[in-house]
Amino acid sequence: MPDREPAAGDSSAEVTVTDAVDAYLQRKAVGDPDGPGAGAYASNAESILRRFADWLDREFGLTSLFALESDHARAYAEELHRQTERGTYTASSARTYFAVVRAFLSWCVRGGILETNPAATELAESALPSATDRDDADSWSAKQRRRLETHVRNRALSETTRQDPVERRTRLREYAMVALLAHSAVRGSELFRVPEDDRRTGATWNDVDFYTGTIRVLGKSQRLEDVSLFAPARTPLRRYRVVLDPPSNDWPLFPTRHAPSIARRVRTVLDDRGYDEREIESLLADATATELARERAIAPPAITTEGARSVLKRLCADIGLAVDGDYLTPRGVRGELERTNGRPADGERTRREATHEQPALRISTGERAIAVPVDEPLRIDVTDVTDTDGKPNGAEEN
């Protein structure tokens, strides 16, 4: 950006959306003299505006700020509405994202870069989800949530499930998913992968600290936060971890089961590790992508928010659980948090800014918290410890 901000329509100084975003964030980082913005706002707004710029380029091939019109802003609002219907965003989050874009474009108008704000029109704003579109639809009673949780718990812990390792892992996975959503303040977009946001790749086992009872997530603030896990969430998660047996801590809590996605990840990682195409094909000919991922400790992608919704939809259908034809979404499972003194607990109090990572603590805690039975008993022969030379039996000369 030049020192003099060009007027709208000044073709001699074309301004890209990305350049304008950079200038806006830089101004906000040190405080906007025309408003209350500060560095915290810049940090929160950056990912929203970067995604908006990428979306414009991807959907319309639009990079020039001067080419931005109200139709583009409406299309963005419609995209946010679709993402809300899919459960990727809540209605309030979608409206917040649009508000950030609108504020950015208002700044461009005040700076003389644009004549009008294409997002500040009734045409664009009317396409946004209403404040209650998903929030009311996702409001399920505690009784309904308990019914779903009871169903998945009984399936996971039944004797018949224990006889089939694959089925047991599947059912414990579903139990852990429901329990985690029901007994923590973690959001679906923080737990599962959001394809449209390259920062939201899904929680991993490295994010879980059983010792402190927290999970580290990327919060709405776009900052890492430690979210409390209540005991009813930790126990199912421990059980699930035992049967999942992740080969590395960067393994997602809930890996996708979409074979093509796993295969793409395996190919990409093997290529990065220096394998040529012939070697990769040879490895995949001898094992499935899932088997190869475990053997080579290649973490697969996490299940997406849409995939998690499909799991919950199926579970609700299994027990005929629906309200007004809808099913329980990740937000609906979460519902109200535990009550304290008869009042709903403040969800924000279960969150705090993430502490500095302590890998040794997080790795060792998970192992200390889980007891795994050993197939063979440990046998120690304490008879005849030494031979006639006074050396331990079996000792060799150096």
Side-chain angles (χ1 to χ4, degrees):
M1 289 287 291
D3 292 337
R4 178 186 66 84
E5 293 171 336
D10 184 357
S11 59
S12 64
E14 187 78 5
V15 177
T16 67
V17 177
T18 301
D19 286 344
V21 167
D22 288 340
Y24 176 70
L25 294 174
Q26 183 178 11
R27 180 66 61 86
K28 286 294 183 180
V30 297
D32 186 350
D34 298 323
Y41 174 84
S43 176
N44 297 340
E46 180 173 8
S47 64
I48 297 172
L49 294 175
R50 300 286 186 211
R51 291 200 302 272
F52 174 65
D54 290 343
W55 178 83
L56 286 173
D57 189 11
R58 183 174 64 252
E59 295 296 322
F60 300 103
L62 189 156
T63 58
S64 171
L65 186 67
F66 300 153
L68 188 60
E69 299 177 352
S70 181
D71 286 342
H72 299 122
R74 178 178 175 83
Y76 178 61
E78 291 172 342
E79 174 64 17
L80 291 174
H81 200 154
R82 284 192 292 271
Q83 294 297 335
T84 300
E85 290 300 316
R86 294 173 187 169
T88 304
Y89 306 133
T90 63
S92 58
S93 294
R95 296 178 72 84
T96 296
Y97 296 162
F98 190 85
V100 170
V101 171
R102 186 177 57 221
F104 155 65
L105 294 174
S106 293
W107 176 84
C108 292
V109 172
R110 292 198 304 272
I113 308 175
L114 293 176
E115 290 183 357
T116 60
N117 184 343
T121 65
E122 184 178 353
L123 175 69
E125 295 185 0
S126 64
L128 287 169
S130 67
T132 58
D133 272 357
R134 289 305 313 179
D135 299 324
D136 284 350
D138 285 342
S139 181
W140 283 52
S141 70
K143 182 178 179 180
Q144 291 160 338
R145 291 193 296 272
R146 284 196 298 269
R147 182 179 169 191
L148 176 62
E149 187 176 3
T150 299
H151 170 64
V152 294
R153 180 177 61 248
N154 291 343
R155 290 172 74 250
L157 304 182
S158 68
E159 288 298 326
T160 56
T161 301
R162 296 179 182 274
Q163 300 172 8
D164 186 342
V166 176
E167 183 67 14
R168 184 175 184 230
R169 183 166 58 247
T170 297
R171 294 187 175 187
L172 283 171
R173 174 180 187 252
E174 294 167 353
Y175 179 25
M177 182 183 296
V178 171
L180 197 55
L181 289 168
H183 298 289
S184 75
V186 67
R187 305 178 180 94
S189 60
E190 298 167 341
L191 194 58
F192 311 117
R193 178 166 57 93
V194 180
E196 297 80 11
D197 188 342
D198 56 9
R199 295 188 67 193
R200 298 192 178 278
T201 56
T204 69
W205 290 102
N206 195 49
D207 297 321
V208 177
D209 191 334
F210 286 109
Y211 183 65
T212 60
T214 61
I215 181 171
R216 178 169 297 165
V217 299
L218 181 64
K220 285 196 303 185
S221 65
Q222 302 299 317
R223 295 181 179 181
L224 291 176
E225 299 173 347
D226 285 339
V227 182
S228 298
L229 299 177
F230 296 114
R234 295 197 301 271
T235 298
L237 200 58
R238 286 193 184 103
R239 291 178 182 269
Y240 170 54
R241 187 184 189 280
V242 171
V243 297
L244 180 64
D245 189 24
S248 61
N249 276 348
D250 65 348
W251 210 262
L253 265 63
F254 302 102
T256 183
R257 295 187 173 181
H258 186 239
S261 297
I262 299 174
R264 282 195 297 271
R265 173 64 58 83
V266 167
R267 290 177 184 277
T268 299
V269 173
L270 288 177
D271 180 68
D272 292 341
R273 293 179 181 178
Y275 289 84
D276 59 33
E277 186 174 350
R278 182 183 58 80
E279 291 172 322
I280 294 174
E281 292 300 329
S282 176
L283 289 172
L284 288 171
D286 296 333
T288 66
T290 299
E291 292 169 342
L292 197 57
R294 280 190 164 274
E295 177 186 334
R296 304 280 171 151
I298 300 174
I303 189 174
T304 63
T305 49
E306 186 67 22
R309 288 171 65 88
S310 296
V311 171
L312 292 172
K313 184 175 183 178
R314 172 174 52 79
L315 292 172
C316 288
D318 288 346
I319 56 175
L321 184 59
V323 174
D324 296 330
D326 204 356
Y327 59 92
L328 198 56
T329 63
R331 178 181 174 86
V333 177
R334 185 158 60 93
E336 289 184 351
L337 297 176
E338 298 293 318
R339 289 178 173 266
T340 303
N341 297 327
R343 295 176 300 176
D346 183 356
E348 295 307 314
R349 292 183 182 178
T350 66
R351 290 173 173 264
R352 61 178 180 273
E353 187 174 351
T355 57
H356 293 296
E357 188 172 3
Q358 300 176 13
L361 175 61
R362 289 185 177 266
I363 293 173
S364 61
T365 298
E367 299 302 323
R368 290 202 307 268
I370 302 172
V372 181
V374 179
D375 293 333
E376 294 292 333
L378 180 62
R379 298 175 180 175
I380 302 176
D381 187 359
V382 296
T383 62
D384 195 19
V385 177
T386 60
D387 60 19
T388 55
D389 296 329
K391 297 177 181 178
N393 280 331
E396 297 180 357
E397 297 285 353
N398 290 329

